Amino acid sequence: MEAFTQHIGTAAPLRRSNVDTDQIIPAVYLKRVTRTGFEDGLFAAWRNDPEFVLNQPEYGGVSVLVAGPEFGTGSSREHAVWALLDYGFRVVVSSRFGDIFRGNSGKAGLLAALVTQDVVERLWTTIEADPGTKVTVDLEHKTISAGDVSAPFEIDDYTRYRLLNGLDDVGITLSHEADIAAYEATRPSFKPATLPAKA
Amino acid sequence: MGRTLSEKVWDAHVVRHADGEPDLLYIDLHLVHEVTSPQAFDGLRLAGRPVRRPDLTIATEDHNVPTLDVDKPIADPVSRTQVDTLRKNAEEFGIRIHTLGDPDQGVVHVIGPQLGLTQPGMTVVCGDSHTSTHGAFGAIAFGIGTSEVEHVLATQTLMQARPKTMAVTVDGVLPDGVSAKDLVLALIAKVGTGGGQGYIVEYRGDAIRALSMEARMTICNMSIEWGAKAGMIAPDETTFAYLRDKPHAPQGVDWEAAVEYWKSLATDEDATFDREVVLRAEDIAPFVTWGTNPGQGVPLSEKVPSPDDFDNDNDKRAAERALEYMGLTAGTPMREIHVDTVFLGSCTNGRIEDLRAAAGVLAGRKVAEGTRMLVVPGSGRVRLQAEAEGLDRIFTDAGAEWRGAGCSMCLGMNPDQLAPGERSASTSNRNFEGRQGKGGRTHLVSPLVAAATAVTGTLAAPADLPPVDVAVPENV
């Protein structure tokens, strides 16, 4: 995973709440067995609607999404994160994220920045007044700024540390292999195993 | 100080704890399906890593599979590739897999319990948010993304921050005709879709204790729909009786040791929860959703609400959007909403008791003209059992379609989908925009409401139906 320290880019306001992962990418787009190529499924139901924010020319080339509350609730599909990344987003800002989506973002290198709803509203106003406004997201200092708006965002320390350093989770965990083996030696014999199969 | 059920199970799985870092948790059972696993197996191959514990891993195909013509190759080539990829990965990495046609193929959350692989005190994960289902046994069970699937395959552990604890206590006795599904829909309408965020929830109280294992699974299944990390119910005699004769239940002295341990898991009397929610079972009635998230629900006896009924702007806007998408007018009685399709199935309500409940309503009755009903058993084994009990005949005599096992119309990923504008009453878990097919409109309901709705063609409860004079099989 690439290290993430600071991101500067333009932003799109997504003035909707409860944008669940089925809306971020419908199930029919989850059939690929690769990790890329999901941008065509992003917000698929809305992409043909000329009114939809990402279809408005002033929001071309955006890399920050400022979304309403309860963004990314529902299904565990990491494809939702991949679709946002494939489209070009690097940061999603909201006042509340679905838990699994937030976790998946941290794993895949999309920054999910948690701010108050007041900050979301101010960012929306600023961006809509001038869609060319550059938004600066600083992971080191946990701040987001755009125009006159400057605010802290929340992210858990461990995810921040991993993003800043571009670390791979599996690699970190395998460095604790001795702990895992020691734990396995203590598991009670009544715990079930899938093999051999019993019917 | 005493500990809660979830704290005891969590503590028993900590491989490594370091201040300022998430705990490294051991995973007892990893369930795998075709949609969220291919990229994880690719990751293993790229890094040259094996699956650490194939003997704690099991795979089945459920999301993509058709429920008709299951003996023929899957018609959609992209779906077929995904299913074939899982089969190849299972073979390459030595993982047990149940494929189409096998009695233990079916919705992944139906398979674990029916095999007895889901047991109290375990940690269970799957690349699927409805993994919370397994919490009904007193396990910590939650959905994960594909990166975490790879992590579990490679290490049999997960890095997890310790969640807060919440108790949802349901006292009293559920009224006749009110089921676990109504209870959980009423709960979500009360607490909101984000109400459980950051918590492992323990469902407790007399009304929960009185539920069967399958009804408990329905409750825990929907935990994710109000944002909870996981939902759990303390194991008791109901749990032990359910597990006793399952294929992978512990045997002999192992059984005795296991039961003794399981009994020790109940929340201590002096333990405290970070948050408590209390519901009275007597207040709960058949419940249905009107909107596009599971929190937008009302009792069946009520009317479609108006955006003006909501206090804050976000809820108002969400209600406006939902009414537009659902094609509903505020003030319409829920019972007057016509339904095109009734779907009985899914990891929420696709088990044998759900089929029995619906068959009990449909016996001697017919599905209304202009309405179709799909009955999709949660697994091959559920299907075989239903056929042994004659339930399939009740459904087909009523004019419903009797299908093969899978996720089916719960999500628009296989051939079972709603057409744009088509309206369903569905026993599944999500009424999101487009969930059951692009433009489809979903009302979440219980199996009893689903069956009654099929008969009237409008949202209905069994009590709304005129009586029929028919001998109903003993078990339904």
Side-chain angles (χ1 to χ4, degrees), chain B residues 304-353:
Chain B
V304 176
S306 157
D308 297 335
D309 299 343
F310 297 90
D311 296 333
N312 78 58
D313 282 349
N314 265 312
D315 289 348
K316 267 190 218 300
R317 263 180 290 176
E320 267 168 32
R321 268 197 65 78
L323 291 184
E324 190 192 334
Y325 181 84
M326 293 294 290
L328 292 174
T329 310
T332 307
M334 294 305 294
R335 279 194 167 90
E336 290 180 9
I337 296 173
H338 171 77
V339 166
D340 305 299
T341 294
V342 174
F343 171 58
L344 174 64
S346 85
C347 57
T348 313
N349 284 125
R351 286 169 288 265
I352 192 70
E353 288 179 10

Side-chain angles (χ1 to χ4, degrees), chain A residues 111-131:
Chain A
L111 176 62
L114 186 72
V115 299
T116 62
Q117 186 58 29
D118 171 59
V119 171
V120 169
E121 304 276 351
R122 285 193 288 139
L123 286 170
W124 281 343
T125 308
T126 303
I127 299 160
E128 283 166 353
D130 177 8

